[in-house]
Amino acid sequence: MKKVMSYLFADERKITQRILPAVLASLSFVVTFLLTAPLETFFANTMFFDYTVAEMLLPVLLSAGAGHVALFGFCMLLRGRVYNWCISLLTGLSVAGYVQTLFLNSSVGLLDGTEVHWEHMTTQGVLGLMLWIVIIAAVFVLCAVKIDWWRFGVIFLSVLICSMQVTNTLAVVLTSEIDQKSQIEYTRDGELVLSQKDNIIVLSVDSFDLKYADEVYSSNPEYYDEFEGFTWYRNTTPHYSRTFPSLAYIFTGEDYSYDVPYDEYMTKAWEDSTLFEDLSDAGYVSRVYAHGKYVNTDLEYMAKNCENVREVGRNVYSVELEKQMLRLSMYKTMPVLLKPFFETDTAQLNTAYALEGNIALSPNDARFYSRLTGTGLSLDENLGSKGAFTYYHLQGCHAPFSFDENCMPADHDDLDIGKAARGTLTNINEYLRQMKELGIYDSSTIIVTTDHGYTGVAQELERERAVALFYKPAGATGEMVINNDAPQQLSSIMATVLYTAGAQNDDFGTPIPLVEDDAQVTRYFHMSGASADGKVREENLITYEVTGDATDFGNWKKLDTKSIEYPFLND
């Protein structure tokens, strides 16, 4: 036993000789795994985080500082070969994590919830893990062969990794535009309260591709049992392939070519808009239950025009925030084979944020369904002199999937797009059923639709992108009618809302019921195309012209491809 202990812990080095490698190896580990990914991701995308800079920095820096002290202290408690092995492991992991982040992350860096097909990355994952093993083993081999070289290598690599990452992080911090948070927020106020008079309701299901709607209808038509009086327009196209700029375009009719910064586009899109004013003049109050970054970031304007946008107190839970930042860091730095265990998106990362009264927006269908079946819909006779316009944007068919076909929370590993489509239809069916119970279904105009179809990460379209559109005007009854002919497009949603309200506005094209079955309409679809290697998700904006039946890919003609100057998300 003495020989074993002596072999492991015997050390003639003075404590001063062990301090520098311990300080630097633990520092490089902390910088790589606790600091760089959260800071760079946050500062490059502050618009997508609900936290202020101060709220985010405090727990992250405290955690990193505590982590460094703990690692350094632990290393200094060790002696001999065990000390060397610990320092080697920290250094090897730091180098491997840095190489992973810099060269091996491929197309998994964005956090918008786009589904990552890990099953297609097995070869990349195995090769990456082998590289990790080689890097870590090399440090251990150097330690066994030449201790002086090992000491120099540990110090050199640690300083190099720290300096390069700190320099890059500082560049990101200093050059990024910081989104200033406001006390005005989009809230859930009145989410389940409808007008006792007239209601114009849009239920927008994210990524509700026609293919998904068709699959459910062909195998389980009962999921459409509550759609009485609806017409299903199957020949419908979206305008963009992602939630932004789709929602902003739907609300304003303003095109975006990613040729100006996001803020500049949003300002231009809304500067001449009179949508909410027109609805107000027609006697309708407006409520928009969608994230402001997709609709309108001018919160003062929205607070004046939408009843659920108002000033409200906010709470941030630091422990939960740091937990989410650690998850983000692991997702960014771990080898590809381990990334699925840490997969996250901005919705998950923002779970440490809440509004007073627990009224923060929650687009997740399962949570909405829980509130719907718990509290239920209710009526307000004072909601608008004539009625209310209510717009919901639900997670729907957008990855990552988090609910099953019964719209109940479920483990991600057991879910797929089929269950998500059925779950969101369960949610909508319950909403429609409660409207019938309250006696307002027949008098209401309801649109069930989406913002875009299937997205994915691709260089160009491999199939059509027709989307779901269901429309029920007030007074319509009977079984759902399927219309395969009328060339509809999502830009008609607000035209239909205004038409129903009796308001005059020519910015949005033709209302849904006025589009003839034999109308000759040329429609356009703009796709965010990825780079050839898949590492850049938004490299090109590809424009397609659609004529005739949108369900026939032969009618989709590629017109133009141009580089995206201002991508919406940053890696």
Side-chain angles (χ1 to χ4, degrees), residues 247-368:
L247 285 189
Y249 174 78
I250 287 170
F251 273 89
T252 66
E254 184 70 32
D255 275 305
Y256 183 45
S257 300
Y258 295 89
D259 53 350
V260 296
Y262 165 87
D263 288 338
E264 188 174 327
Y265 163 71
M266 277 297 207
T267 299
K268 181 183 179 185
W270 283 95
E271 63 184 0
D272 296 322
S273 174
T274 60
L275 170 66
F276 296 122
E277 290 87 347
D278 292 340
L279 286 169
S280 179
D281 290 344
Y284 287 81
V285 298
S286 297
R287 290 95 55 80
V288 176
Y289 300 103
H291 282 302
K293 62 177 175 279
Y294 299 128
V295 179
N296 187 2
T297 53
D298 185 346
L299 296 175
E300 291 186 1
Y301 170 83
M302 293 300 288
K304 291 177 183 177
N305 291 282
C306 293
E307 287 212 336
N308 66 306
V309 183
R310 64 177 178 86
E311 189 170 316
V312 62
R314 45 186 285 132
N315 297 306
V316 173
Y317 305 103
S318 297
V319 174
E320 178 63 23
L321 191 156
E322 176 54 22
K323 176 183 172 183
Q324 295 304 327
M325 291 301 111
L326 283 173
R327 185 185 183 99
L328 166 63
S329 189
M330 294 301 102
Y331 182 67
K332 290 277 191 174
T333 54
M334 285 290 103
V336 168
L337 284 182
L338 297 181
K339 287 187 187 294
F341 297 103
F342 304 101
E343 191 170 3
T344 188
D345 60 10
T346 50
Q348 176 68 34
L349 293 170
N350 282 320
T351 54
Y353 164 85
L355 298 181
E356 289 182 358
N358 193 30
I359 56 171
L361 282 178
S362 178
N364 179 278
D365 288 62
R367 294 174 188 163
F368 184 91

Side-chain angles (χ1 to χ4, degrees), residues 547-560:
T547 55
D549 183 4
T551 65
D552 181 355
F553 191 40
N555 294 328
W556 293 64
K557 177 184 176 183
K558 190 163 111 174
L559 290 183
D560 182 46

Side-chain angles (χ1 to χ4, degrees), residues 396-466:
C397 301
H398 198 299
F401 310 124
S402 60
F403 52 89
D404 62 18
E405 64 273 24
N406 299 312
C407 210
M408 293 295 175
D411 189 283
H412 178 70
D413 294 336
D414 298 328
L415 302 175
D416 55 36
I417 185 59
K419 291 182 179 179
R422 287 166 175 79
T424 199
L425 284 169
T426 296
N427 193 14
I428 291 170
N429 272 310
E430 177 62 21
Y431 188 97
L432 300 180
R433 187 190 67 77
Q434 290 193 24
M435 288 186 69
K436 294 173 185 177
E437 282 189 350
L438 292 172
I440 59 169
Y441 183 82
D442 291 345
S443 63
S444 298
T445 295
I446 309 168
I447 300 172
V448 178
T449 187
T450 185
D451 51 345
H452 58 81
Y454 170 73
T455 300
V457 178
Q459 290 177 258
E460 58 183 36
L461 291 183
E462 77 293 344
R463 68 167 177 85
E464 45 74 30
R465 286 296 190 272

Side-chain angles (χ1 to χ4, degrees), residues 1-10 81:
M1 190 61 169
K2 267 188 175 183
K3 287 183 179 180
V4 173
M5 295 299 288
S6 177
Y7 177 81
L8 293 175
F9 293 102
R81 287 181 173 83

